[in-house]
Amino acid sequence: MIVILKKGAQPEAVARLEEILRAKGVTANHIEGATQNIIGLVGDTSRIDVDSLMVQDCVESIRRVQEPYKQANRKFHPDDTAIPVRDCIIGNGSLQVIAGPCSVETEDQIMKTAIACKKAGATMLRGGAFKPRTSPYSFQGLGKEGLDLLIQARKETGLPIVTEIMNGADLDLFADIDVIQVGARNMQNFELLKALGKSDKPVLLKRGLANTMEELLMSAEYIMAGGNQNIILCERGIRTFETWTRNTLDISAVPLLKQKTHLPICIDPSHAAGIASLVEPLSLSAIVAGADALEIEVHCDPKSALSDASQQLTPEKFESVMSNIRKMADFLGRPMGK
Ligand code: PEP
Ligand code: MN
């Protein structure tokens, strides 16, 4: 981190700044230039709050030369992180396909859908039991009963289960869930992230609707700072001025995040597009971009779905999408599943 001092900064103000920096455990190296004086900070600057330095009288501006995320940073952990989830591994070069309904609705619905997903070649099952809905009058999910139905569907199909948590106080209910999803709306629910940091469950962390990639990595850092290193990042579309799609899939997030972090990356084409017919082309582009996993919404009868009806694939359509996903994965030498 570099602190650029104001011209004519008072020595007392500079001394006060140095005192603050010392207290933060970093070493301050002064460099006197012809036109500007600067201080280079050496040490762990990740805990330094830029705003608290900016308000010091002598400070003109501050530049970070290192990213504020440490544990998620590929610089300090060059090898890819691979996360075992029962028989699957996410991030080892294989391609995982997480499929299932937006919401768990009934036993019949989740069982039919889970069996169809398994038959088509999905490697994990998704389904929301606690649903973050824009309207309080919309279906809110089955809660604990939904989790039990997912566990039943796992028994039937053998597929590991992925489902969303909305409240850290519910964490005990997720003891038998394989991957805990943090939805886009909760990406910056820092208390929830801290609670997940104390767990050892894999977390599928979705990018917020209007969050930068750096903010996504800082949210991952919250979980990692608590001791849980098992995080899968998920790009699920961001808000732009475009109205023809529900969100805009930021495909560049895959290669860019891969450069910046060692954590595996998932793409959710369903919430990105909001349109079932776009799921296949977006899935294929995600594989080409290097995604480790896809999360795709599939419903045994999308027309009757209690949430996200327009983006969920029928089992038949999912089967044909999977056949092209397999072709693309084969072409790129990416094994499916293990
Ligand atoms: C979901 O996966 O069902 C969901 C609500 O996704 P997102 O948080 O990305 O909107
Ligand atoms: Mn959904």
Side-chain angles (χ1 to χ4, degrees):
M1 187 179 276
I2 295 169
V3 179
I4 298 150
L5 298 174
K6 281 183 184 155
K7 285 203 176 78
Q10 295 300 309
E12 305 78 52
V14 177
R16 217 170 21 248
L17 172 67
E18 282 179 334
E19 190 59 41
I20 294 169
L21 295 172
R22 250 195 309 278
K24 300 270 182 205
V26 293
T27 310
N29 291 329
H30 285 260
I31 303 161
E32 295 207 359
T35 57
Q36 207 142 39
N37 292 342
I38 65 176
I39 302 178
L41 306 188
V42 181
D44 182 4
T45 57
S46 59
R47 287 170 199 273
I48 292 184
D49 176 19
V50 171
D51 288 344
S52 73
L53 296 187
M54 275 306 291
V55 296
Q56 300 304 314
D57 290 339
C58 58
V59 175
E60 170 79 36
S61 60
I62 294 174
R63 291 213 195 116
R64 273 197 185 275
V65 282
Q66 262 187 6
E67 297 89 351
Y69 46 93
K70 290 275 171 274
Q71 303 200 44
N73 200 325
R74 196 181 271 286
K75 270 187 201 148
F76 306 112
H77 188 301
D79 296 335
D80 287 342
T81 284
I83 301 175
V85 181
R86 290 188 178 256
D87 283 350
C88 302
I89 302 178
I90 307 182
N92 67 343
S94 64
L95 177 70
Q96 305 296 336
V97 180
I98 307 164
C102 179
S103 301
V104 180
E105 299 168 3
T106 63
E107 181 178 341
D108 185 57
Q109 172 251 11
I110 188 66
M111 287 302 167
K112 271 193 188 141
T113 309
I115 291 166
C117 288
K118 165 86 178 180
K119 179 167 161 269
T123 59
M124 296 192 202
L125 175 67
R126 66 148 284 149
F130 295 91
K131 294 302 302 175
R133 305 303 304 281
T134 301
S135 166
Y137 309 117
S138 302
F139 177 59
Q140 301 288 306
L142 297 181
K144 162 94 173 66
E145 188 193 341
L147 300 182
D148 292 340
L149 290 174
L150 283 169
I151 291 167
Q152 203 178 314
R154 180 181 62 205
K155 267 197 201 115
E156 178 69 31
T157 59
L159 297 176
I161 47 184
V162 181
T163 193
E164 178 166 352
I165 192 167
M166 297 215 295
N167 186 343
D170 290 339
L171 199 49
D172 287 348
L173 299 177
F174 286 68
D176 198 17
I177 297 301
D178 300 308
V179 177
I180 302 181
Q181 176 169 312
V182 174
R185 290 154 192 82
N186 270 316
M187 188 202 91
Q188 287 191 316
N189 180 341
F190 299 117
E191 292 305 318
L192 177 60
L193 301 179
K194 283 183 205 167
L196 290 166
K198 294 196 196 103
S199 146
D200 58 358
K201 291 263 177 213
V203 175
L204 180 70
L205 177 64
K206 297 185 101 175
R207 180 178 179 184
L209 281 71
N211 284 111
T212 63
M213 290 187 233
E214 184 167 292
E215 286 164 343
L216 174 61
L217 289 183
M218 291 309 289
S219 290
E221 193 77 12
Y222 257 92
I223 303 172
M224 299 176 95
N228 185 354
Q229 310 295 307
N230 302 316
I231 301 160
I232 305 127
L233 303 169
C234 182
E235 156 62 32
R236 44 76 73 204
I238 49 174
R239 280 258 166 103
T240 67
F241 50 80
E242 184 54 70
T243 56
W244 284 7
T245 49
R246 185 175 180 184
N247 293 289
T248 296
L249 179 64
D250 182 5
I251 200 74
S252 59
V254 181
L256 208 42
L257 285 170
K258 286 261 165 205
Q259 289 171 24
K260 302 282 188 190
T261 181
H262 50 89
L263 298 172
I265 322 285
C266 174
I267 285 280
D268 170 351
S270 305
H271 290 88
I275 304 169
S277 63
L278 294 196
V279 168
E280 176 170 316
L282 295 189
S283 297
L284 298 179
S285 60
I287 304 169
V288 174
D292 299 282
L294 299 169
E295 187 179 41
I296 298 177
E297 284 192 343
V298 180
H299 192 291
C300 57
D301 179 20
K303 286 196 178 72
S304 73
L306 298 180
S307 58
D308 288 351
S310 53
Q311 70 197 31
Q312 304 204 59
L313 303 185
T314 60
E316 298 69 36
K317 181 63 188 164
F318 180 57
E319 227 173 289
S320 90
V321 170
M322 278 302 288
S323 131
N324 286 326
I325 284 177
R326 251 190 310 274
K327 280 185 206 147
M328 183 59 86
D330 270 359
F331 178 71
L332 295 170
R334 305 270 313 271
M336 304 262 313
K338 309 281 176 208

